[in-house]
Amino acid sequence: MIAKQKILIVDDDENISELISLYLTKEFYDTRIVHDGETALREFDTYQPNLILLDLMLPGMDGYQVCREIRQRSSVPIIMLSAKGEVFDKVLGLELGADDYIIKPFDSKELVARVKAVLRRFQPYPAQQPKPSGKYVSYTELEINLTNYSVVYRGRNIDMPPKELELLYFLASSPNQVFTREQLLDHIWGYEYIGDTRTVDVHIKRIREKIKDYANWSIATVWGIGYKFEVK
């Protein structure tokens, strides 16, 4: 029997968290509910979820702090939940490492669809199996594999959330081609994504913190337009 994927629900509103759990249980996910940030961090270590649904407004340690703590130890997908809709809150959440952002109140079908989409993008490939062919690009000291969602830079495996990896792969698979922020937003996040083009800038910044430019390639900013993976 295939083990159920586990989802940790972190929300101080008992009614909302129980409702979310009901939606996801019907889709055959295993869920666990916690109501504060400190408990969330403890449960993360013991429960080892495949995905976290994280409310921003929590008592004590808020969702931003929880996200920051988890990102220091894991790249597990995180979807933030918030009643706030300002671009600032979205960008800050994404800067801290969230993979998606849902505004309350949300439709149950949308929530389930977002969860499924994020989990599809984040399917670690078993280390004992041979490296698959497929969506794979390689440059000096850099290998990006979209088949198993892995990045190897200077001989080291780089821990990279799905959106960052997808963005890096998309640019690197079309060397020297310039993409506008709008094109990148549409391709990586989808046409239905309601967000700001600053989301792209945030992810590029995070990628550059992990992947430094090399002698014959770089992630280049094309001022006033967007970005390209420049190969010299």
Side-chain angles (χ1 to χ4, degrees), residues 3 9 22 26 28 41 43 56 64 80-82 106 110 114 117 161 163 193 220 222 224 228 230 232:
I9 302 166
L22 179 62
K26 286 182 177 180
F28 304 104
L41 293 178
E43 288 297 317
L56 290 182
Y64 294 122
M80 284 190 164
L81 308 174
S82 176
F106 47 77
E110 178 191 4
R114 296 276 191 105
K163 287 300 185 192
Y193 179 76
V222 182
K228 67 176 178 177
E230 186 173 48
K232 301 171 184 177

Side-chain angles (χ1 to χ4, degrees), residues 37-131:
E38 288 83 357
T39 305
L41 293 178
R42 290 197 300 271
E43 288 297 317
F44 172 75
D45 292 326
T46 57
Y47 185 51
Q48 296 186 341
N50 300 100
L51 181 144
I52 301 171
L53 287 170
L54 177 62
D55 186 43
L56 290 182
M57 305 305 291
L58 297 170
M61 179 183 292
D62 64 22
Y64 294 122
Q65 293 174 286
V66 174
C67 184
R68 187 182 295 110
E69 290 283 338
I70 289 175
R71 274 292 167 263
Q72 290 177 356
R73 64 180 93 165
S74 172
S75 61
V76 65
I78 297 173
I79 299 178
M80 284 190 164
L81 308 174
S82 176
K84 295 183 177 182
E86 292 81 2
V87 171
F88 171 79
D89 297 298
K90 293 181 183 180
V91 172
L92 180 56
L94 292 168
E95 271 192 324
L96 293 175
D99 298 284
D100 205 349
Y101 196 109
I102 302 179
I103 305 298
K104 297 178 182 179
F106 47 77
D107 180 78
S108 61
K109 292 181 180 179
E110 178 191 4
L111 174 70
V112 171
R114 296 276 191 105
V115 167
K116 288 181 177 180
V118 170
L119 285 172
R120 275 198 305 270
R121 293 195 300 265
F122 195 85
Q123 293 294 333
Y125 198 84
Q128 67 272 21
Q129 296 191 20
K131 182 182 290 185

